[in-house]
């Protein structure tokens, strides 16, 4: 249920787990807002005389909603800390092929009959989600984070930073100005980009399952304790659920040589320590003779 009470309850549970993690780690919290953007789009239809709001505006509204709830919950648990929620704009390429292949699910789950009506009445693209259907929208690659310098300043000041996972999608015009685009960016891929740009020691991606599973849904499914990016990329994971998390973890580990982890929010401390979940670590290449090893900051 997408009610405010239910969202607050979920955020309270998340904040409780994250607050414990901040005792021993410098943490930047990111979040998604696809369900909120979908809900806001539906609510806007109650005003037929007002043209539909574009997805970048709905994304900003959803990001503000989740950011506010997280900020309030974390302030209550970390009264000694400055807690700051930042609306985050993410730059994408205007000619990204994703604009021609909607793939990101947003909003509620519909029945087959509802999905068919929405295809005809609104021209939406809908795809399977469990036993139902959800709206699919373009999900271009995140290329840059507009607020990255400000985020660095906030992190360096000791503030507890919250920022949008997927971010508000924007693109460059020919004259260098910016405009919003009709898309929703995957929050896990943006989190990986943010972690790289902030020179993070680790990337922790949290979900409602305890680890990444090989052969998920089969009788012989089994959790993956650790793997390197090449091994994980050789397996199949659902594009609407675990797939983006695995790809985000692989990107971070492969490009930085640092650890990424995927696991349960309720077990976040052990996942962050490398004691639970799926740990993704790129193989360590032997340095050339005379070259210096670079040790990640701890």
């Amino acid at each position: 249920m997408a009610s405010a009470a239910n969202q607050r309850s979920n955020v309270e549970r998340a904040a409780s787990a994250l607050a414990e993690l901040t005792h021993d780690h410098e943490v930047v919290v990111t979040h998604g807002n696809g369900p909120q953007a979908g809900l806001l789009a539906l609510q806007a239809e109650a005003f037929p005389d007002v043209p539909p709001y574009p997805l970048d505006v709905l994304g900003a509204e959803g990001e503000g909603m989740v950011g506010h709830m997280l900020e309030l919950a974390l302030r209550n648990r970390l009264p000694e800390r400055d807690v700051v929620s930042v609306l985050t704009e993410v730059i994408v390429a205007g000619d990204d092929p994703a604009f021609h292949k909607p793939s990101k699910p947003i909003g509620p789950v519909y029945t087959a009959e509802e999905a068919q009506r929405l295809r005809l009445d609104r021209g939406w693209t809908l795809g399977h989600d469990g036993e139902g259907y959800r709206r699919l929208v373009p999900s271009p690659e995140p290329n840059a984070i507009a607020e990255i310098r400000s985020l660095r300043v906030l992190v360096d000041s000791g503030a507890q930073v919250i920022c949008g996972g997927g971010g508000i999608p924007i693109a460059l015009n020919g004259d260098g100005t910016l405009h919003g685009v009709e898309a929703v960016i995957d929050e896990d891929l943006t989190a990986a980009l943010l972690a790289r740009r902030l020179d993070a020691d680790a990337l922790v991606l949290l979900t409602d399952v305890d680890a990444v599973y090989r052969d998920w849904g089969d009788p012989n499914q089994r959790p993956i304790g650790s793997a390197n990016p090449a091994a994980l990329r050789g397996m199949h994971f659902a594009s609407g659920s675990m797939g983006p998390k695995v790809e985000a973890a692989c990107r971070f580990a492969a490009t930085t040589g640092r650890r990424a982890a995927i696991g349960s929010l309720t077990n976040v401390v052990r996942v962050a320590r490398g004691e639970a979940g799926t740990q993704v670590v790129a193989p360590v290449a032997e340095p050339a003779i005379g070259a210096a090893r670079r040790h990640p900051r701890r």
Side-chain angles (χ1 to χ4, degrees):
M1 182 185 297
S3 68
N6 189 57
Q7 292 188 62
R8 286 187 187 279
S9 177
N10 291 335
V11 166
E12 287 290 338
R13 288 196 296 272
S16 179
L18 293 169
E20 183 180 356
L21 186 66
T22 65
H23 295 160
D24 298 314
H25 301 276
E26 184 180 66
V27 178
V28 175
V29 179
T30 70
H31 59 83
N33 63 340
Q36 288 74 25
L39 175 63
L40 289 165
L42 289 175
Q43 291 176 336
E45 292 180 8
F47 302 94
D49 294 334
V50 178
Y53 278 80
L55 285 175
D56 63 303
V57 175
L58 295 177
E61 292 179 7
E63 194 172 301
M65 180 194 306
V66 179
H68 157 64
M69 291 182 179
L70 272 171
E71 182 173 333
L72 186 62
L74 285 172
R75 280 186 186 279
N76 288 336
R77 286 167 174 78
L78 304 170
E80 75 287 355
R81 296 283 301 278
D82 288 328
V83 183
V84 183
S85 181
V86 180
L87 284 178
T88 313
E89 296 173 319
V90 176
I91 300 172
V92 304
D95 59 354
D96 191 300
F99 287 108
H100 302 290
K101 296 179 180 179
S103 62
K104 180 70 173 175
I106 68 168
V109 177
Y110 301 102
T111 65
E113 293 76 14
E114 290 172 327
Q116 181 62 16
R117 176 177 56 81
L118 292 168
R119 288 190 186 98
L120 295 174
D121 294 349
R122 301 178 190 170
W124 284 2
T125 299
L126 291 104
H128 283 284
D129 190 306
E131 297 181 356
Y133 295 81
R134 291 179 71 192
R135 182 186 178 189
L136 300 178
V137 300
S139 184
E141 282 282 325
N143 291 333
I145 297 169
E147 293 81 7
I148 191 64
R149 286 179 295 183
S150 299
L151 290 170
R152 288 195 188 107
V153 170
L154 287 168
V155 171
D156 290 344
S157 76
Q160 174 55 64
V161 175
I162 303 164
C163 52
I168 304 160
I170 60 175
L172 285 167
N173 296 312
D175 61 0
T177 59
L178 297 160
H179 66 277
V181 296
E182 193 74 355
V184 173
I185 307 169
D186 184 84
E187 63 268 21
D188 297 311
L189 299 184
T190 300
L193 174 64
L194 177 69
R196 295 198 303 270
R197 295 293 183 263
L198 291 178
D199 195 31
D201 293 329
L203 170 67
V204 180
L205 300 165
L206 301 171
T207 182
D208 56 358
V209 295
D210 60 339
V212 179
Y213 278 72
R214 186 192 295 270
D215 302 322
W216 173 258
D218 291 343
N220 296 323
Q221 69 179 30
R222 54 196 185 280
I224 301 171
S226 64
N228 63 55
L232 284 175
R233 283 171 166 158
M235 306 176 197
H236 173 73
F237 302 98
S239 59
S241 56
M242 191 57 75
K245 285 182 169 47
V246 169
E247 176 57 24
C250 290
R251 290 185 186 187
F252 179 80
T255 57
T256 67
R258 300 176 186 177
R259 181 172 57 90
I262 303 172
S264 170
L265 172 65
T266 58
N267 205 18
V268 59
V269 173
R270 295 189 65 236
V271 173
R273 289 175 179 167
E275 300 169 355
T278 298
Q279 304 294 320
V280 184
V281 182
V284 178
E286 288 298 322
I289 295 175
R293 285 185 186 269
R294 180 183 181 279
H295 295 280
R297 177 173 55 88
R298 298 297 180 189

